[in-house]
Amino acid sequence: MTAENGTAKGQAAPTVRARSLVRRRRRDSAARFWRQYRGHRAGVFGLAALLLFAVPALAAPLLVGSDVADVTDAPGGPLEDPSARFPFGTDRFGRNLLGLVIWGARVSLLVGLLAAVLSVAIGTLIGVTAGHFKGWYATVMMRITDWFLVMPTLVLAIALATVMPRSLLTIVVAIGVTTWPTTARLVRAQTLAVETRPYIERARALGGGHRHIMARHVLPNVMPLVLAQTTLIISTAILAEATLAFLGLGDPTVVSWGALLQDAREAGAVSSGHWWYLVPPGVAVAVVALAFTLCGRAVEQVLNPRLGVSR
C-alpha cells in the first residue's frame, strides 16, 4: 500500500510541474504579446477607444437604467436641443439620446462580436478542411467560396434578413454566413503552408489521423491568423448591423445604433436640421469600426511580424 501511494505521488508530481510550466509559458507569452502590442500606437489608440465604448455599455443598466427606451414615460420633450440635462438632446419621443447611444452600444457590440465569431468559425472550418483534404472536396469548397466572394455581401445579408424573422439572431446569421469567404481563403493558404512542414509528415508516419493532424498540428498554427481576422471582421459586422437596422431589417423592439439612425431618418432629422439626432450614433459606429480595424492590424503585425512594423 505504501509503495502504491509513493508511486501515485511520484506520478502526480510531474503532472503538477507540467501544468505549472504550461501556465508560466502562457503568462510569459501574454506578457510578450502585450509588450509588442504597446509598440503599435494606432493599436493602443484603438484599444482605448474600444474601452471608452465597452465600459459604459457594460454598465448601461447602472448608468442609464433599463427603461431608457420607454416611449410612454420619456423624460423630455420631442427633439429638444442638446443641453446640460440632455447632452445629446432628445429623440422624437423625448427620450434621452445619450442614454440611448449608451444602451445601443450593448446591442451593436454584441451583434458585431457574435456575427464575427460565426463568420470566422465557418471560414476556419472550410479553410482548414479544404487545405488538408485537397482533391475534389477542396475544389468544391473553393468554388463555393469564390461564389460568395463575387456576390455583394450586403445584398446577400439583406436577402437573408428579409426572408427570416426580424430578430437579433437573424442579423447575426445574415452577417455571419455572408462574410466568411475571406477568412476561408486566408486560412486555407496558411493550412497549405503548415501541411508542408516536416512534423506533419512525422505525425502521419506515426499513425496520426486526419482529425489528430488538423486539431493538434494545423489548427494551433492558424489560430494567430484567425484571431487577427476576428478583430478585423468585427468592424465589418458592426457596420453591416447598422446598415441592416437602418434599412428597417433589424428587431424593431431593440435599441441599436443603426435603429437610432433609422429613427432619425423617419423623423426627418436630415431635412429639419436636427443634427444631434444623427451625429452621435453615426460617430459611434464610425469610431468603433475604426478602433476594431486598428486593433486588428496591430494584432496581425504582432502575431505575424513579416507583415511589417508600421506603427
Side-chain angles (χ1 to χ4, degrees):
M1 190 70 178
T2 304
E4 292 179 356
N5 291 337
T7 302
K9 291 180 179 179
Q11 293 176 348
T15 303
V16 173
R17 288 196 296 269
R19 292 177 179 175
S20 177
L21 179 60
V22 169
R23 287 194 296 266
R24 185 168 66 252
R25 287 180 175 176
R26 289 177 179 174
R27 288 194 300 267
D28 293 342
S29 178
R32 184 168 58 254
F33 172 85
W34 175 241
R35 285 195 302 270
Q36 295 176 0
Y37 185 91
R38 286 185 303 177
H40 296 269
R41 291 187 294 273
V44 173
F45 173 80
L47 182 60
L50 289 180
L51 291 176
L52 183 64
F53 283 90
V55 173
L58 292 174
L62 300 177
L63 294 177
V64 300
S66 58
D67 59 344
V68 66
D70 188 3
V71 298
T72 61
D73 192 22
L79 299 175
E80 290 187 17
D81 293 347
S83 61
R85 183 183 179 191
F86 303 115
F88 288 178
T90 62
D91 68 352
R92 57 176 174 165
F93 303 110
R95 298 177 296 181
N96 183 6
L97 268 175
L98 175 59
L100 291 175
V101 170
I102 293 176
W103 193 266
R106 296 168 62 89
V107 176
S108 295
L109 292 175
L110 178 62
V111 170
L113 180 61
L114 293 179
V117 170
L118 176 61
S119 172
V120 170
I122 296 173
T124 301
L125 176 63
I126 293 178
V128 170
T129 54
H132 177 78
F133 289 109
K134 306 179 180 65
W136 67 267
Y137 174 81
T139 301
V140 172
M141 289 295 101
M142 288 302 100
R143 296 299 76 79
I144 295 175
T145 302
D146 292 339
W147 184 84
F148 273 94
L149 279 173
V150 299
M151 289 293 292
T153 301
L154 183 59
V155 174
L156 288 176
I158 291 174
L160 287 175
T162 302
V163 300
M164 296 175 66
R166 295 175 63 181
S167 65
L168 290 182
L169 179 60
T170 296
I171 298 296
V172 170
V173 173
I175 297 172
V177 301
T178 57
T179 57
W180 58 265
T182 302
T183 303
R185 279 284 183 183
L186 293 173
V187 171
R188 179 176 181 267
Q190 185 69 12
T191 300
L192 291 174
V194 172
E195 293 267 348
T196 61
R197 297 175 183 175
Y199 62 84
I200 299 294
E201 293 297 329
R202 289 197 297 268
R204 289 196 179 99
L206 292 173
H210 296 298
R211 182 183 300 179
H212 173 82
I213 291 175
M214 288 188 291
R216 298 295 299 273
H217 299 290
V218 176
L219 189 59
N221 282 280
V222 303
M223 281 307 295
L225 176 64
V226 171
L227 176 61
Q229 189 68 10
T230 302
T231 57
L232 292 173
I233 290 182
I234 291 176
S235 61
T236 303
I238 290 175
L239 290 172
E241 184 277 330
T243 303
L244 294 175
F246 177 75
L247 295 175
L249 299 175
D251 189 343
T253 64
V254 174
V255 176
S256 68
W257 291 335
L260 291 177
L261 291 173
Q262 183 202 21
D263 287 342
R265 179 181 60 84
E266 292 180 349
V270 177
S271 58
S272 59
H274 298 131
W275 58 268
W276 63 88
Y277 207 162
L278 290 165
V279 171
V283 170
V285 171
V287 171
V288 169
L290 176 62
F292 271 113
T293 300
L294 294 177
C295 290
R297 295 300 181 190
V299 170
E300 204 172 33
Q301 292 175 5
V302 170
L303 297 178
N304 190 357
R306 291 176 296 177
L307 294 174
V309 291
S310 58
R311 301 178 188 276

